[in-house]
Amino acid sequence: MTRIYNFSAGPSMLPEAVLRRAGEEILEWGESGMSVMEMSHRGKHFGAIAEKAEADLRELLAIPPEYKVLFLQGGATAQFAMVPMNLLRDRAAACYVDTGIWSGKAIEEASRYCDVVVAATARAGGFTTVPPRSEWRIDSDAAYLHYTANETINGVEFQDVPDSGGLPLVCDMSSNILSRPIDVSRFGLIYAGAQKNMGPAGITVVIVREDLIGTTIPGTPTVFDYKKHADNGSMLNTPPTYIWYLLGLVLEWLKQEGGVAVLETRNIRKAQKLYAAIDASALYSNPIDPAFRSRMNVPFRLADARLEKTFAAEAAARGLVALEGHRSVGGLRASIYNAMPEAGVDALIAFMADFEHRYG
Ligand code: PLP
């Protein structure tokens, strides 16, 4: 068996050590006599798995005790609705920073529940940068300020946590959580789907400051109420137990690798060498403002766009797969999350040079 390098934006590569461990434990977890898939979520075995995952996440991100950690379903897309449903409280408006396709979707969904004040938008430039903080228009009566830390499709990433102008800061960290250290205390709420940097698809992590939850807008379904989930240890209804367990294995792997700071050093190195190869070439280009280039998702175009299909097909034949850009923007994109080995990035760079030599 040869494992290929999978540059998919998500679901994406998982650490091989995690997959092997899951394989070893598939028939029996510990001395339980059963697979994790077969366990009751209310039993002592799964209880231990769930507790360990939360403790490891708290340790990896240094999450302060006044924050609740929730393991939910519905993806980050459900959070686009749950955030306003739970955080609006008595306010009529919420502020959103518009930096690309995913913040656009968050804005569209929030508009169903409140007035959305777009604090800043990078639309005019084709979403290639983050508007300067000094130009943001913050409504001090708004319930919160939302931004997308990493635009997975556009390849734009905030390099610092922005000043929220006194509002609770809400962040979609779906595609860069655990790729760099963060100061959780700067946030009111962080949410992230697991399927990029944390595990397989099917579970979403929400980290929320306790005092912000407990009031929902009228008509909010119980299953969309953070407080109900928090009070029930994320077991208000049957959770995706096996995915929760796999997420826990990824967190254990991260700890064994040395934690988030070590991963950040690796991620910087991987991204820098890929952008350097793109910038040095006459065939490839990346349009993003260098100050906001994503370390996780590297979109690129070929000078002759007709060659992009050939590029993706030839790369796939060499075990470098899923390099096509998102269907909404086209082009090419290499997603290089925590689990992408540096050797995978090196193999991609070598292939790009060879392709340019032959077609450039
Ligand atoms: N937000 C960001 C930044 C994403 O990259 C994605 C998915 O790719 C989503 C939200 C939507 O996540 P889900 O498909 O889990 O609902």
Side-chain angles (χ1 to χ4, degrees), residues 287-351:
I288 308 305
D289 177 352
F292 297 103
R293 282 176 161 178
S294 169
R295 293 177 187 162
M296 301 282 99
N297 310 97
V298 182
F300 55 101
R301 307 285 328 206
L302 265 58
D304 179 352
R306 289 169 306 182
L307 280 176
E308 286 169 351
K309 269 206 164 81
T310 315
F311 179 96
E314 284 197 16
R318 297 199 197 182
L320 307 167
V321 310
L323 283 159
E324 294 85 358
H326 190 267
R327 62 191 185 281
S328 62
V329 293
L332 297 156
R333 171 178 53 169
S335 295
I336 50 173
Y337 301 117
N338 282 348
M340 171 59 69
E342 196 163 345
V345 176
D346 291 338
L348 174 60
I349 293 170
F351 170 73

Side-chain angles (χ1 to χ4, degrees), residues 34-320:
M34 59 184 150
S35 169
V36 176
M37 280 180 254
E38 302 167 304
M39 290 174 182
S40 162
H41 56 296
R42 312 250 177 237
K44 68 170 183 192
H45 298 302
F46 189 75
I49 290 169
E51 252 178 54
K52 176 142 187 1
E54 178 173 338
D56 285 347
L57 187 63
R58 284 185 177 278
E59 184 182 329
L60 283 162
L61 290 177
I63 301 174
E66 65 272 22
Y67 285 75
K68 295 284 185 191
V69 177
L70 310 178
F71 297 88
L72 306 179
Q73 299 180 66
T77 303
Q79 296 312 308
F80 294 164
M82 281 178 83
V83 164
M85 282 176 162
N86 287 268
L87 298 198
L88 276 173
R89 291 155 295 156
D90 56 341
R91 307 296 171 101
C95 284
Y96 279 72
V97 185
D98 182 24
T99 50
I101 288 171
W102 287 112
S103 42
K105 286 185 189 285
I107 288 169
E108 199 184 322
E109 188 68 6
S111 306
R112 295 160 56 92
Y113 306 102
C114 63
D115 297 328
V116 170
V117 176
V118 177
T121 177
R123 179 177 295 278
F127 296 121
T128 52
T129 190
V130 172
R133 174 65 185 83
S134 56
E135 292 171 13
W136 294 12
R137 188 171 57 100
I138 309 273
D139 175 353
S140 56
D141 284 334
Y144 57 85
L145 172 70
H146 177 284
Y147 77 106
T148 308
N150 182 59
E151 288 284 357
T152 321
I153 297 173
N154 305 85
V156 172
E157 184 173 14
F158 280 74
Q159 301 303 327
D160 299 296
V161 178
D163 165 26
S164 68
L167 299 182
L169 191 58
V170 175
C171 184
D172 178 355
M173 258 181 223
S174 291
S175 50
N176 70 353
I177 195 166
L178 295 167
S179 70
R180 56 167 77 207
I182 45 159
D183 178 358
V184 173
S185 71
R186 298 276 310 274
F187 297 87
L189 185 148
I190 293 167
Y191 63 92
Q195 67 269 24
K196 299 159 195 306
N197 251 343
M198 280 191 294
I203 201 161
T204 309
V205 168
V206 173
I207 302 165
V208 60
R209 219 178 59 214
E210 216 167 3
D211 62 297
L212 292 173
I213 61 176
T215 311
T216 52
I217 60 172
T220 299
T222 307
V223 76
F224 275 8
D225 184 333
Y226 290 136
K227 182 78 166 54
K228 295 265 174 21
H229 284 289
D231 289 348
N232 286 280
S234 301
M235 296 192 195
L236 176 68
N237 65 321
T238 315
T241 47
Y242 194 64
I243 307 299
W244 194 335
Y245 151 78
L246 291 171
L247 185 147
L249 294 188
V250 173
L251 299 176
E252 265 187 49
W253 171 81
L254 271 166
K255 281 175 51 178
Q256 278 157 12
E257 292 295 297
V260 177
V262 170
L263 265 297
E264 179 184 43
T265 309
R266 261 187 233 169
N267 289 330
I268 291 174
R269 211 169 46 228
K270 288 188 294 181
Q272 272 178 352
K273 59 167 90 168
L274 184 49
Y275 284 114
I278 291 169
D279 290 344
S281 117
L283 182 62
Y284 309 106
S285 64
N286 167 278
I288 308 305
D289 177 352
F292 297 103
R293 282 176 161 178
S294 169
R295 293 177 187 162
M296 301 282 99
N297 310 97
V298 182
F300 55 101
R301 307 285 328 206
L302 265 58
D304 179 352
R306 289 169 306 182
L307 280 176
E308 286 169 351
K309 269 206 164 81
T310 315
F311 179 96
E314 284 197 16
R318 297 199 197 182
L320 307 167

